[in-house]
Amino acid sequence: MQVIDAETVVFLGSLGVCFAAGLVLGVGYFYALRRSVAVFLGEGRLQFGLGLLVGRARFMAAGLGLAVWTGGGALLAALTGVLVARTLMLRRVGVPE
């Protein structure tokens, strides 16, 4: 029987944290995307829609940039969280995949 050392436990825990952060990042990104589409279709001010567009791009770039700085495994975990968030948001809206 193999024993898992403390370094492996910390690494696996950090992957879980990065997945959860990617999930939050993805939900925020796709919610802002939904709002900006509604604004651009005439349900709000154009400046607000442009602010959402720039804000969500910066939000995603900052989050994924932090994951890149942390390492490749963290980036993959964060991207997996973003993709899971995308799937959840599409199911919530009712759009077929």
Side-chain angles (χ1 to χ4, degrees), residues 27-46:
V27 167
Y29 179 85
F30 291 111
Y31 179 76
L33 176 64
R34 182 177 175 194
R35 290 280 298 143
S36 63
V37 167
V39 168
F40 289 136
L41 290 177
E43 298 178 9
R45 294 187 352 208
L46 183 61

Side-chain angles (χ1 to χ4, degrees), residues 15 17 24 29 35 51 53-54 60 64 66 74 81 84 88 93 95:
L15 291 182
V17 168
V24 169
Y29 179 85
R35 290 280 298 143
L53 180 87
V54 171
M60 183 65 78
L64 293 180
L66 181 63
V84 169
L88 293 174
V93 178
V95 177

Side-chain angles (χ1 to χ4, degrees), residues 7-18:
E7 187 176 318
T8 303
V9 171
V10 169
F11 175 72
L12 293 176
S14 70
L15 291 182
V17 168
C18 288

Side-chain angles (χ1 to χ4, degrees), residues 37-92:
V37 167
V39 168
F40 289 136
L41 290 177
E43 298 178 9
R45 294 187 352 208
L46 183 61
Q47 292 85 1
F48 181 67
L50 290 174
L52 280 173
L53 180 87
V54 171
R56 70 183 157 91
R58 286 185 176 186
F59 183 63
M60 183 65 78
L64 293 180
L66 181 63
V68 166
W69 183 69
T70 305
L75 177 62
L76 288 175
L79 287 173
T80 303
V82 170
L83 291 177
V84 169
R86 176 189 173 271
T87 302
L88 293 174
M89 294 296 281
L90 285 176
R91 285 187 184 168
R92 182 173 179 246

